[in-house]
Amino acid sequence: MPEPAFAAAAIPTREALLDVAARLFVERGTERVALADIAAGAGLELRVLRDHFASREHVLLALQQRFVEGFRVRLHEAMDRCRPNDWPARLRAWVQSAVEGYLDQVALHDVVFHDLRTHDRHAMQENPVVDQLVELLEGGIAARVWAAPDPRLTAVIFFTAMHSAVDRVIACGEPQDRQRLVQTLIGYFERSVQWWARF
């Protein structure tokens, strides 16, 4: 009999439970993982797991929130390696980190966003990663480096373009030339907000 993931006397943290759930969802798919499977993988009785998560959907939502926050932090750290007022460098760092972050976590991304099948038209208005991009664009606009009459709409377009471009690479099975993809997106984004193009 395989040993449980955690010692019997230890109650795993919420983060550790999410780690177990993420591994099972990626390995088996969401439809083939029940709350009882997650409890077993964590070496817990089901009733103990239910103290943390009422259902499999609650686990998936928690994983989704964790994914978004982790993605946001990754982008923030990439931009922080640039000089504070070097807006073009910060935008390039955002794009590079976003593409790599998505491609590095495709399986988990698909579990928490595609398999969960949540559709919310307000998602882009309440997305911390889009908010982060709005802040970046507004900084460059205030510094008169860029122009965008509607920074939030521009951020939504940029985020959607990045997401769709990565999806195309994945769906078409093309070689993942990350740098070429990054440079294509950067060129598109930079041309979209050039100061001389202001209207």
Side-chain angles (χ1 to χ4, degrees):
M1 177 180 294
E3 295 184 4
F6 301 94
I11 302 296
T13 64
R14 177 183 172 89
E15 288 301 302
L17 291 173
L18 289 176
D19 289 342
V20 171
R23 175 177 56 79
L24 291 173
F25 285 138
V26 168
E27 289 175 356
R28 304 181 191 176
T30 55
E31 297 302 320
R32 295 185 178 184
V33 177
L35 208 59
D37 297 317
I38 299 170
L44 295 176
E45 293 184 15
L46 180 57
R47 63 176 178 79
V48 177
L49 181 61
R50 286 190 186 279
D51 289 340
H52 295 273
F53 304 104
S55 68
R56 179 181 62 183
E57 287 66 33
H58 282 91
V59 176
L60 283 165
L61 284 169
L63 282 171
Q64 188 180 88
Q65 292 167 357
R66 187 173 77 164
F67 185 99
V68 170
E69 179 56 18
F71 197 75
R72 185 197 66 79
V73 168
R74 178 176 183 152
L75 302 181
H76 180 78
E77 290 174 348
M79 290 190 293
D80 273 0
R81 289 192 285 272
C82 306
R83 294 195 304 274
N85 296 321
D86 190 343
W87 302 106
R90 294 175 74 83
L91 178 60
R92 294 181 197 118
W94 188 95
V95 175
Q96 180 91 42
S97 187
V99 168
E100 291 178 349
Y102 189 179
L103 287 172
D104 287 347
Q105 304 176 86
V106 171
L108 180 59
H109 174 278
D110 289 354
V111 162
V112 299
F113 291 102
H114 296 177
D115 290 358
L116 192 53
R117 293 186 176 88
T118 55
H119 175 68
D120 181 0
R121 287 193 171 91
H122 298 285
M124 288 298 179
Q125 303 306 315
E126 300 167 0
N127 185 326
V129 178
V130 172
D131 292 343
Q132 179 186 61
L133 189 50
V134 171
E135 184 178 344
L136 171 62
L137 290 171
E138 288 178 339
I141 292 165
R144 298 178 67 85
V145 174
W146 298 322
D150 187 336
R152 179 160 294 276
L153 178 57
T154 303
V156 169
I157 292 170
F158 284 6
F159 180 85
T160 305
M162 179 279 297
H163 199 288
S164 297
V166 176
D167 277 346
R168 179 184 183 277
V169 168
I170 296 166
C172 295
E174 296 177 1
Q176 293 184 6
D177 185 345
R178 297 187 179 194
Q179 203 53 40
R180 180 181 178 186
L181 177 57
V182 166
Q183 291 303 320
T184 299
L185 287 167
I186 288 172
Y188 170 72
F189 293 172
E190 288 184 334
R191 286 192 298 274
S192 297
V193 292
Q194 283 177 345
W195 181 254
W196 56 260
R198 186 177 185 180
F199 61 88

